[in-house]
Amino acid sequence: MKFVSSRSNTSLFSLKDTLFQGLAPDGGLFMPQKYPDQSLRRLRNMETKTFTDLALELAKPYLDEDIDDDGISKIVNEAFDFDIPFKHLKNDIYALELFRGPTLAFKDVGARFMARLINQINREKEDITILVATSGDTGGAVASGFNLMDNIKVVVLYPEGRVSKFQELQFTGLGNNINCLAVDGSFDDCQRMVKEAFSDIDLRKTLKMTSANSINIGRWLPQSFYYTWGMLKWLEENPDVFPVVSVPSGNYGNLTAGMLAYECGMPFNGFIAASNINNTVPVYIRSGIYQPQESVKTITNAMDVGNPSNFERMKYIGGSWKNISEMVSAFEFKDHEILKGIERVYHETGYILDPHSATGYLAMEKSKCKGFFIATAHPVKFLDVMPENIRDKVKVPSYHSQPGNEGLSIKISKDYSDLRNYLLKS
Ligand SMILES: *Cc1c(COP(=O)(O)O)cnc(C)c1O
């Protein structure tokens, strides 16, 4: 498979270029050149009993020009070494639990796949620096995904004092090839510094760098696989109706990966963008007007995005606003509604939602559709904002691997020159 830019399909890019460039030269996001046939009819002939079996079949058309079947099999088996349960909660609402990876959020799916893919495609064993800015969850997933990989050095930038201790230790506690920079500034500062590094031509001559944020196709493609898995699980229990999927959304990598699965032949009955008050996309879906906003801080901090990078993919896949608004509906929730929802769902079902997953549940309920929502994180990651009377019921699950109790990071200012000096010296 070759890849194209979401802004023009005149140039074709190889998988390797796509992975290492992150963004297309014209500023667009990479997309597969064509959508492979991954319809129910085709899946019937495939051996897809486990998620890894399924992921292997779904990954092949994207990777098989560059990596042989054994290599692809190694990637999916090592990346997806955790369960993805499908649970019935209430009436027509099911949860697809994607937080059973090592850092307890769905980002493990994309980060672990991307890490192993880069490792395979880097046949010349060149030294590569993975630069990533995080507001909390991405840093842990990317650091854990690339931990101990040869020839890879990870540099995580995070806003000092603005991520939870639990999240911080997931990247600062690893050591090894994982380097953490505590920036005296906001997440936006971290992101700006990373962008400056990528447009610093001199720096790029000395360092081979790539970014591991959610626009990278290595993280985005594998997210489409679990939509197909959710569909198969749903049909085992509800063979007569196709599901709607509700997706807690911030940068819209997750939801647009669902749209990719749809284009490849999964007959979803639609998608729901579950949002907090950072509602740039919900407003667009209702009005057709896309107006980026400054992000506002909420208890669902992984969804505090005012100008989602993957909106570009939504437009590319959907084409027109009319099509997009027919395929995707949207609901947004305020902090107090989310907290009340978590308590109510616990009392009604015994299930403890984290604040992000709660938006997915609440949007599903409000839509009155049949389907499932994506449970994006384990509640233990967000204990400090969970309703007080539920907090002590949340236990750290056995599949979480906390690297240690001591974190290591280097403090830097929000001046790009500090980051540049660090990268050149180390
Ligand atoms: C990253 C994240 C989201 C938002 O996902 P996008 O792909 O950016 O829309 C939602 N919930 C949790 C827990 C996350 O970590």
Side-chain angles (χ1 to χ4, degrees):
M1 178 85 71
K2 293 280 191 281
F3 297 84
V4 295
S5 163
S6 57
R7 296 192 186 168
S8 97
N9 54 12
T10 46
S11 315
L12 297 181
F13 299 87
S14 70
L15 178 64
K16 188 170 181 179
D17 287 346
T18 308
L19 283 170
F20 283 106
Q21 287 175 24
L23 219 61
D26 62 4
L29 271 60
F30 286 116
M31 296 296 298
Q33 186 194 2
K34 52 183 185 289
Y35 299 127
D37 175 5
Q38 301 184 327
S39 57
L40 288 170
R41 187 175 40 80
R42 262 208 74 210
L43 289 183
R44 267 190 211 113
N45 304 321
M46 296 176 182
E47 194 60 43
T48 54
K49 279 195 201 63
T50 64
F51 180 68
T52 40
D53 292 340
L54 176 68
L56 174 63
E57 294 304 330
L58 300 181
K60 271 183 196 166
Y62 298 116
L63 311 186
D64 64 4
E65 221 179 281
D66 301 85
I67 301 174
D68 63 21
D69 281 6
D70 282 350
I72 302 173
S73 170
K74 201 162 171 292
I75 292 171
V76 299
N77 282 296
E78 288 179 12
F80 307 134
D81 60 351
F82 52 89
D83 293 333
I84 304 181
F86 188 73
K87 289 190 177 161
H88 180 235
L89 293 199
K90 195 182 111 173
N91 303 339
D92 296 316
I93 305 183
Y94 292 71
L96 185 65
E97 274 187 3
L98 280 158
F99 53 70
R100 291 182 174 244
T103 72
L104 309 183
F106 81 98
K107 290 189 174 71
D108 281 327
V109 173
R112 291 176 67 77
F113 183 91
M114 178 189 176
R116 283 151 189 85
L117 177 56
I118 285 192
N119 194 31
Q120 290 250 353
I121 214 113
N122 183 24
R123 287 196 190 90
E124 299 79 24
K125 300 287 167 214
E126 289 178 83
D127 286 327
I128 298 167
T129 300
I130 308 281
L131 200 54
V132 65
T134 184
S135 60
D137 275 353
T138 299
V142 169
S144 160
F146 284 97
N147 188 29
L148 295 173
M149 269 187 186
D150 293 339
N151 309 101
I152 302 263
K153 172 176 169 177
V154 175
V155 178
V156 179
L157 278 78
Y158 69 102
E160 186 174 18
R162 302 198 202 186
V163 305
S164 78
K165 199 76 205 157
F166 192 95
Q167 290 176 319
E168 189 176 3
L169 278 173
Q170 287 186 332
F171 42 89
T172 59
L174 288 168
N176 312 321
N177 57 333
I178 311 299
N179 305 271
C180 301
L181 301 177
V183 175
D184 183 13
S186 65
F187 169 62
D188 293 321
D189 290 319
C190 299
Q191 215 164 13
R192 169 185 48 81
M193 291 162 82
V194 168
K195 278 191 188 142
E196 283 184 62
F198 280 105
S199 47
D200 183 337
I201 295 169
D202 284 343
L203 179 71
R204 298 202 72 168
K205 276 186 198 141
T206 19
L207 273 186
K208 193 166 174 78
M209 286 194 305
T210 190
S211 154
N213 62 17
S214 78
I215 57 173
N216 194 299
I217 198 129
R219 273 184 65 187
W220 186 66
L221 289 175
Q223 296 190 143
S224 71
F225 306 163
Y226 54 70
Y227 283 85
T228 303
W229 179 247
M231 170 68 87
L232 298 179
K233 294 284 133 190
W234 167 272
L235 289 176
E236 284 174 13
E237 306 200 26
N238 305 274
D240 303 325
V241 55
F242 293 130
V244 167
V245 193
S246 173
V247 191
S249 294
N251 235 335
Y252 283 83
N254 197 354
L255 193 143
T256 51
M259 293 171 76
L260 172 64
Y262 177 86
E263 293 302 327
C264 295
M266 279 297 116
F268 289 109
N269 237 332
F271 297 93
I272 302 173
S275 173
N276 61 25
I277 56 171
N278 293 284
N279 62 356
T280 306
V281 170
V283 168
Y284 167 78
I285 285 168
R286 287 193 290 269
S287 67
I289 296 164
Y290 186 78
Q291 181 68 58
Q293 305 157 7
E294 280 290 312
S295 66
V296 180
K297 191 171 153 48
T298 73
I299 57 167
T300 45
N301 66 17
M303 293 158 50
D304 292 346
V305 184
N307 187 13
S309 345
N310 285 288
F311 179 67
E312 184 121 5
R313 288 195 164 117
M314 185 180 276
K315 274 196 309 192
Y316 180 90
I317 297 174
S320 64
W321 168 68
K322 186 170 172 294
N323 270 346
I324 294 172
S325 60
E326 277 168 13
M327 197 195 289
V328 187
S329 55
F331 295 99
E332 59 249 48
F333 300 93
K334 301 194 174 77
D335 283 356
H336 71 92
E337 295 172 309
I338 296 170
L339 292 173
K340 260 187 26 208
I342 294 173
E343 288 189 56
R344 181 171 55 79
V345 173
Y346 175 66
H347 291 302
E348 287 173 3
T349 68
Y351 192 85
I352 304 180
L353 293 158
D354 98 282
H356 304 77
S357 308
T359 65
Y361 179 95
L362 293 171
M364 194 79 233
E365 199 176 52
K366 211 163 177 177
S367 75
K368 302 202 165 64
C369 294
K370 298 177 197 297
F372 61 91
F373 67 97
I374 310 268
T376 50
H378 190 285
V380 80
K381 270 196 115 160
F382 299 97
L383 269 195
D384 44 339
V385 295
M386 289 289 284
E388 237 165 86
N389 52 344
I390 294 189
R391 229 173 268 176
D392 58 352
K393 301 188 171 65
V394 181
K395 302 276 178 299
V396 180
S398 58
Y399 43 85
H400 176 246
S401 52
Q402 184 73 297
N405 296 319
E406 294 283 339
L408 250 188
S409 62
I410 297 172
K411 290 180 202 247
I412 64 168
S413 79
K414 60 185 179 191
D415 290 335
Y416 169 62
S417 59
D418 264 19
L419 173 63
R420 187 173 205 275
N421 288 339
Y422 170 82
L423 290 171
L424 284 174
K425 261 193 296 191
S426 52

